């Protein structure tokens, strides 16, 4: 490989260079300061890094063509906000040019009057210690004067996309293998999904018993909440592989109990059916939040994202048939 030229174009493809740099997963920060006239300024930056513990120093770099360039260059103080997993929208807002980035945000005044944002994983309030020109960016080194932090799961940026971070199991937590050689191990997807489903669902079952419903009737009842009316074909396709032979029996059971009615076009919930569904769904959501709280907000978000993607792979047809296409179609 040729060495990089000090002047002129780099001796390689810049898009590939960007992609290679993007393999380095980072957190996401928003850097804020005040312009000379007091206007709050800020931008999204993933060039943030720690430099030194004693003295406490951090760094980040700013593109020479950023609209906030002159104001940051002149600023004596600035603050770094490490974003949490739920702050992707805020990151997007501070990465856009020419918008009022602070509109509607509650801000506090930090050291040197720097505007501080709320709800972040950590905040570092800094004084500019030095600046270095580094190619098309200006590198800022700041001395940390004050910081705070929260237990929030971090927002991650990798390969040009936002991502989640999760802890890996410790090395001694290797999945165990079964007595029968060649049998399923503890990390077999079917085992993990199946056992989680049975154990999770066992907590919901007492609420079904109280309504006099069995598991299959509950599946059909909750499926009927997805649209105002489902045709027999939609129910058959949507339940395919989940409930085939018992589908009609479950539908008849719901009609008999007054929870669903048969129309010329298909099946719909009755008022009593809607009320039972709402009772059951709120009980199930309460159980879900207890389980997810124990798992932690970050891992809960990752689990849901991954399961959704898994369903997209193994069950795409049902998703197309059953779920509303957009918000506008939803029944008010
Ligand atoms: C995840 C992410 C990381 C970014 N990191 C930086 C960075 O480190 N330095 C930088 O100058 N711009 C970075 N940007 C781009 C700026 O946020 C963007 O250009 C912004 O509009 C600059 O604000 P301004 O032009 O209003 O000053 C990043 C954008 C994103 C989405």
């Amino acid at each position: 490989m040729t060495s990089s030229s000090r002047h002129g174009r780099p001796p390689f493809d810049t898009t590939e260079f960007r992609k290679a740099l993007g393999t380095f997963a980072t957190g996401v920060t928003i850097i804020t300061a005040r312009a000379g006239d007091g206007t709050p300024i800020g931008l999204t930056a993933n060039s943030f890094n720690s430099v030194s513990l004693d003295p406490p120093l951090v760094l980040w770099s700013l593109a020479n063509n950023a609209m906030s360039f002159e104001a940051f260059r002149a600023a004596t103080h600035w603050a770094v906000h490490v974003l949490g997993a739920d702050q992707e929208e805020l990151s997007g807002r501070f990465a856009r040019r020419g918008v009022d980035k602070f509109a509607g945000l509650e801000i506090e005044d930090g050291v040197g009057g720097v505007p501080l944002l709320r709800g972040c994983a950590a905040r570092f309030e800094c004084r500019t210690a030095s600046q270095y020109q580094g190619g098309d960016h200006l590198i800022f080194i700041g001395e940390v004067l004050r910081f705070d932090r929260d237990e929030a799961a971090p927002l991650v940026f990798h390969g040009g996309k936002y991502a989640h971070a999760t802890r890996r199991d410790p090395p001694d937590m290797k999945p165990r293998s079964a007595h029968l050689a060649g049998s399923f191990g503890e990390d077999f997807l079917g085992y993990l999904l199946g056992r989680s489903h049975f154990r999770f669902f066992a907590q919901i079952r007492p609420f079904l018993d109280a309504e006099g419903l069995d598991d299959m009737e509950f599946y059909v009842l909750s499926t009927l909440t997805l649209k105002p009316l489902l045709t027999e074909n939609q129910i058959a396709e949507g339940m395919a592989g989940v409930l085939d032979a018992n589908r009609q029996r479950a539908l008849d059971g719901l009609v008999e109990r007054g929870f669903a009615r048969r129309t010329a076009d298909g099946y719909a919930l009755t008022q009593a059916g809607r009320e039972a569904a709402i009772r059951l769904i709120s009980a199930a959501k309460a159980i879900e939040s207890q389980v997810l709280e124990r798992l932690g907000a970050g891992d809960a978000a990752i689990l849901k994202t991954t399961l959704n993607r898994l369903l997209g792979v193994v069950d795409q047809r049902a998703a197309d048939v059953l779920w509303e296409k957009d918000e506008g179609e939803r029944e008010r």
Side-chain angles (χ1 to χ4, degrees), residues 26-31 41-48 60-70 72 83 88 91-99 101 136-138 155-158 160-162:
T26 66
V28 181
T29 73
I30 290 174
I31 321 271
I41 53 167
L43 83 158
T44 302
N46 68 339
S47 53
F48 170 73
W60 65 286
S61 60
L62 174 64
N64 293 343
N65 62 3
M67 289 174 80
S68 55
F69 184 83
E70 286 307 330
F72 269 111
L83 299 188
E88 190 176 318
S91 169
R93 179 202 284 224
F94 275 81
R96 270 192 293 280
R97 290 170 161 247
V99 293
K101 301 180 182 182
D136 57 10
H137 279 61
L138 183 66
L155 182 60
V156 173
F157 199 65
H158 179 241
K161 294 196 170 70
Y162 293 106

Side-chain angles (χ1 to χ4, degrees), residues 213 217-225 254 259 269 273 276-277 280:
L213 294 174
E217 287 164 338
F218 174 64
Y219 281 134
V220 175
L221 182 81
S222 47
T223 303
L224 288 174
T225 65
L254 290 178
F259 286 161
L269 289 179
L280 288 171

Side-chain angles (χ1 to χ4, degrees), residues 6-7 66 76-77 119 128 152 156 164 174 179 181 183 190 199 201 203 216 223 229 237 240 247:
R6 277 183 69 79
H7 307 287
T76 55
H77 293 81
T128 305
V156 173
H164 293 293
K174 287 218 181 71
H179 164 67
S183 171
R199 298 296 299 178
F201 208 79
Q203 298 185 59
M216 291 168 207
T223 303
L229 184 121
E237 274 195 81
R247 195 179 63 242

